[in-house]
Amino acid sequence: MKLDAKIPKGPLEEKWSNYKKTARIVNPANRKKLNVIVVGTGLAGSSLAASLGELGYNIKSFCFQDSPRRAHSVAAQGGVNAAKNYKNDGDSVYRMFVDTLKGGDFRAREANVYRMAECSLNLIDQAVAQGVPFGREYGGYLNNRSFGGVQVSRTFYARGQTGQQLLLGAYQALMRQENKKTVTMYSSHEILDIVIVDNQAKGVIARNLETGKIEKHAADAVVLATGGFGKIYYLSTLAMGCNGSAIWRAHKKGAYFASPSWTQIHPTSLPQSGDYQSKLTLMSESLRNDGRIWVPLKENETREANNIPEEERDYYLERRYPAFGNLAPRDISSRAAKERIDAGFGVGPLKNAVYLDFSKSIKEQGKDKIAEKYGNLFTMYEKITGINAYKEPMKISPAAHFSMGGLWVDYELMTTIPGLFAIGEANFADHGANRLGANSLLQACVDGYFIAPYTIANYLAGELTKEKTTTDHPAFEQAASQAEQKLVSLLAIKGNKTVDYFHKKLGKLLYDNCGLARNKAGLEYAIEEIKHLSEEFYTDVCIPGDLNSMNSELEKAGRVADYLEIAILMCYDALTREESCGAHFREEYQTPDGEAQRNDELYQFISAWEFPGNTKEEPILNKEELSFEYLQPTIRSYK
């Protein structure tokens, strides 16, 4: 298949306007005749379902949680970016476009990145109108702070709860539409498959997680807003329920999967404290505005942090990246931390952390000012660790976090399956090989509120005159039968190892060989080991319970089965890209001073992987060549 990104004609700053001028629309009387399924109720899914409901479409909204409020968007704490230039420090839509494209190491489409920056202006006004309590200055103006990879203040925040507050705004809008009967909510439902009829997405197969019942749902279009798959590493900043199953099952039905190996390791997580943990806690990147990161100059230091004098501390980010210092981008900051830890300068009981120190900021600004900006984060840190970070430094460590990769989508956010859209972190579209902090909430919101309502309408306008597909179509029965058989076969294995056993082994394999750093030998080793682990899974996994009732182990088993397949594709993707870019750091391709070394001549493209038909064959690589008309790729330096 030739990949057509459908990028509109015209100058960069006019492309989105030109698209909206020429896009087909559906008149209000006809919207009530059209049905859309939206899977996921995080910021992307809730905002889209609410927006389409407000327009008058019939929406079915699905989430596997018991309430949309439990979506993982709440964990994005630090802020949301917008190029408002309220600080009058030189920000603009174009500067935000440059920062984002550069931050992604020139592995994203110019048109998509510019559109996200352009739409950021509207988002803040929308959120304020919804009642999101952004931080304000004394005079009442909205306040900003800075995030990694930029030299301006464009991040709007609600203390350390920005994602939660934005999600509450979207949730209220969603519940308003449910009350108006334009949205029907299906909580505690997991999507088992996408139904394809005449090469178009026409519905989903879902399982009611409370009763075990398998259900069929038809629609004129399907939208996946199911987030990222960073939980594949087992220990990550994501909640246990986060998974990649919906997008993976869409991939196996024909949707191309783009850049799966581009997964972000966040630099400010709490370090692992033992094998008993199932997740790691994210400390907001916003802390790097006022916290200084350092390690002792002495290897295997045993003194407490406050007993180490200033001249015996290595502020390594400030030393290596003086222009950006502690606000260097996430991929660079994480690799720098790992390098210091691996070299023997790590701190904490397991020597697997670095210090994040607020003593200088507290001395200059006062404790009350720091508490005003980050108080809930300090409270959370003390609750977890027992340490008062106002009195001694926090300990932080890199952890798996965000998926830049996801389903390949065109400019309209539609996958290679007509009628199947992917928004937010479920797609690959806006961040390239590395996401800048506070752009995740931004992408999720603008996809749902401002972009997908236009692009989906453009598609639905062509569906009005077509005969409606119902759940009586044989494709629904076939998909439901296959989905049920998959669950039955998992329950029938009757092995003696838990699902978590396989997930932990997979996570360690990936973190060691396809994590912060990768190399050819390690990736080839990982592919073979994951294949062996997958064989063991299908003979030795033990899943108690039955199909026709609540069964959390069965849910986990299905997700880990998908992870085992996603993991192999991640390693293939990393193996075939013989360069370093953003979060993809191949040890064979680095500069003499240890920085990522791109190869624009051979690898200036998006890897879009096609499912070969079965898991025994190698995936098929398709390429979307990237061209840069407005910003030529340069060496990505933060020094």
Side-chain angles (χ1 to χ4, degrees):
M1 180 188 294
K2 179 176 172 54
L3 292 170
D4 180 9
K6 300 180 185 174
I7 298 172
K9 303 291 185 184
L12 184 65
E13 63 274 12
E14 296 177 13
K15 288 184 184 295
W16 181 230
S17 296
N18 288 342
Y19 177 88
K20 290 189 288 185
K21 287 176 188 174
T22 58
R24 293 173 296 176
I25 59 175
V26 180
N27 79 51
N30 283 333
R31 292 173 197 160
K32 63 185 71 171
K33 303 174 186 176
L34 293 164
N35 306 297
V36 180
I37 287 172
V38 180
V39 185
T41 57
L43 269 174
S46 286
S47 59
L48 177 62
S51 298
L52 293 178
E54 182 74 31
L55 288 168
Y57 297 99
N58 299 307
I59 310 301
K60 288 185 176 182
S61 175
F62 290 83
C63 70
F64 65 78
Q65 299 96 343
D66 57 1
S67 165
R69 289 179 300 170
R70 292 176 63 83
H72 203 60
S73 296
V74 300
Q77 304 156 332
V80 57
N81 286 334
K84 287 284 200 179
N85 196 32
Y86 283 171
K87 291 288 188 181
N88 198 29
D89 56 359
D91 202 9
S92 65
V93 168
Y94 187 80
R95 186 177 293 278
M96 185 173 176
F97 156 73
V98 171
D99 287 343
T100 303
L101 201 61
K102 175 186 173 184
D105 222 350
F106 298 94
R107 290 294 178 261
R109 293 188 201 123
E110 285 184 322
N112 284 69
V113 174
Y114 190 91
R115 177 175 64 181
M116 183 174 71
E118 181 182 355
C119 291
S120 74
L121 303 178
N122 295 329
L123 173 60
I124 302 306
D125 300 332
Q126 164 96 0
V128 169
Q130 289 179 329
V132 174
F134 286 126
R136 294 178 181 269
E137 296 178 335
Y138 179 76
Y141 293 104
L142 297 183
N143 205 352
N144 297 120
R145 53 192 178 204
S146 191
F147 257 55
V150 304
Q151 292 179 306
V152 297
S153 295
R154 69 164 65 104
T155 304
F156 294 78
Y157 62 92
R159 298 187 75 183
Q161 306 172 351
T162 315
Q164 181 179 15
Q165 297 301 328
L166 285 169
L167 184 63
L168 286 172
Y171 171 71
Q172 291 173 98
L174 180 65
M175 291 299 98
R176 178 172 180 269
Q177 295 307 315
E178 185 187 34
N179 188 57
K180 291 176 64 178
K181 310 299 183 186
T182 63
V183 171
T184 304
M185 279 299 310
Y186 294 85
S187 58
S188 299
H189 278 66
E190 183 162 40
I191 301 306
L192 300 181
D193 208 354
I194 311 299
V195 181
I196 310 297
V197 178
D198 297 330
N199 197 39
Q200 289 181 290
K202 288 296 182 182
V204 298
I205 304 301
R207 179 171 180 265
N208 184 321
L209 299 180
E210 295 176 355
T211 66
K213 181 182 177 183
I214 292 176
E215 304 172 0
K216 308 165 195 169
H217 297 270
D220 299 292
V222 176
V223 186
L224 299 181
T226 51
F229 52 93
K231 194 62 189 172
I232 196 169
Y233 290 94
Y234 189 75
L235 279 179
S236 80
T237 65
L238 278 70
M240 281 301 291
C242 294
N243 63 86
S245 288
I247 59 175
W248 184 249
R249 293 172 194 190
H251 171 63
K252 293 174 79 170
K253 279 296 183 73
Y256 286 10
F257 206 120
S259 310
S261 69
W262 291 349
T263 50
Q264 184 172 80
I265 309 297
H266 198 291
T268 52
S269 165
L270 297 192
Q272 182 181 1
S273 58
D275 292 336
Y276 54 84
Q277 285 179 268
S278 60
K279 77 174 296 291
L280 299 172
T281 302
L282 175 67
M283 300 305 294
S284 170
E285 182 178 317
S286 61
L287 293 168
R288 294 201 279 153
N289 274 277
D290 290 297
R292 301 178 73 197
I293 295 171
W294 62 276
V295 292
L297 280 173
K298 176 185 171 184
E299 288 185 51
N300 299 311
E301 178 65 76
T302 58
R303 289 175 291 177
E304 294 294 326
N306 289 341
N307 295 330
I308 301 173
E310 190 72 16
E311 62 272 14
E312 295 182 34
R313 301 179 179 188
D314 178 15
Y315 295 92
Y316 59 89
L317 287 178
E318 297 173 27
R319 168 172 56 81
R320 292 182 60 177
Y321 308 102
F324 285 75
N326 297 296
L327 286 173
R330 290 177 175 178
D331 57 326
I332 288 172
S333 300
S334 291
R335 282 198 298 273
K338 184 177 185 295
E339 185 274 327
R340 290 289 80 194
I341 291 168
D342 290 349
F345 298 96
V347 301
L350 301 181
K351 300 297 183 185
N352 61 344
V354 299
Y355 288 126
L356 180 60
D357 193 337
F358 293 87
S359 57
K360 186 171 184 288
S361 295
I362 290 172
K363 185 177 180 181
E364 292 174 349
Q365 302 175 40
K367 177 184 173 182
D368 290 347
K369 188 65 177 177
I370 297 301
E372 179 186 324
K373 290 190 278 188
Y374 314 111
N376 63 303
L377 297 172
F378 278 66
T379 301
M380 181 173 72
Y381 184 83
E382 184 169 11
K383 185 175 182 180
I384 294 170
T385 67
I387 294 171
N388 184 338
Y390 294 109
K391 296 180 178 179
E392 59 181 283
M394 292 182 179
K395 297 181 186 73
I396 58 169
S397 183
H401 180 56
F402 187 91
S403 312
M404 279 77 68
L407 292 183
W408 184 91
V409 293
D410 58 24
Y411 188 77
E412 296 185 302
L413 306 183
M414 188 158 67
T415 70
T416 48
I417 299 175
L420 178 65
F421 296 79
I423 62 174
E425 197 179 348
N427 72 35
F428 85 101
D430 294 351
H431 307 298
N434 173 63
R435 177 178 64 78
L436 293 184
N439 270 352
S440 62
L441 294 179
L442 173 64
Q443 185 209 357
C445 287
V446 300
D447 279 3
Y449 285 126
F450 305 123
I451 299 174
Y454 282 96
T455 63
I456 292 172
N458 183 58
Y459 172 80
L460 290 174
E463 297 298 297
L464 273 168
T465 58
K466 295 183 180 179
E467 184 178 349
K468 288 285 184 188
T469 301
T470 70
T471 55
D472 293 330
H473 193 283
F476 280 87
E477 184 56 42
Q478 181 182 8
S481 176
Q482 290 173 348
E484 183 173 4
Q485 185 53 46
K486 169 78 173 178
L487 297 174
V488 169
S489 64
L490 286 172
L491 286 166
I493 295 172
K494 305 299 182 186
N496 56 17
K497 292 186 175 72
T498 66
V499 176
D500 281 349
Y501 165 84
F502 293 97
H503 197 173
K504 285 180 180 179
K505 287 198 72 171
L506 175 64
K508 188 170 188 335
L509 264 172
L510 278 180
Y511 194 83
D512 290 345
N513 298 288
C514 194
L516 271 168
R518 303 96 187 263
N519 59 58
K520 184 174 187 289
L523 290 165
E524 289 175 340
Y525 168 79
I527 289 171
E528 293 307 311
E529 287 299 304
I530 294 166
K531 288 179 179 177
H532 294 152
L533 186 64
S534 183
E535 291 173 3
E536 186 184 358
F537 175 84
Y538 283 105
T539 57
D540 287 354
V541 74
C542 174
I543 306 166
D546 58 42
L547 178 65
N548 300 311
S549 61
M550 186 180 292
N551 191 338
S552 60
E553 285 300 301
L554 180 59
E555 296 167 36
K556 284 199 296 185
R559 295 165 187 172
V560 171
D562 292 329
Y563 276 152
L564 287 163
E565 295 174 4
I566 297 171
I568 291 177
L569 185 61
M570 287 173 64
C571 293
Y572 269 115
D573 186 49
L575 189 61
T576 55
R577 188 170 284 274
E578 296 180 343
E579 66 164 353
S580 291
C581 60
H584 170 62
F585 190 78
R586 282 284 296 267
E587 292 173 342
E588 305 96 321
Y589 308 101
Q590 56 182 300
T591 63
D593 57 349
E595 302 298 337
Q597 191 170 52
R598 291 197 324 265
N599 185 339
D600 292 338
E601 184 178 349
L602 296 180
Y603 294 98
Q604 194 168 287
F605 62 81
I606 298 296
S607 301
W609 294 92
E610 181 180 353
F611 186 66
N614 65 71
T615 55
K616 302 295 184 184
E617 298 180 40
E618 289 192 6
I620 302 163
L621 176 61
N622 298 273
K623 300 177 182 178
E624 181 199 337
E625 300 291 343
L626 293 171
S627 60
F628 296 95
E629 300 177 49
Y630 301 92
L631 185 67
Q632 292 306 306
T634 57
I635 295 174
R636 182 173 174 243
S637 174
Y638 292 91
K639 297 183 176 182

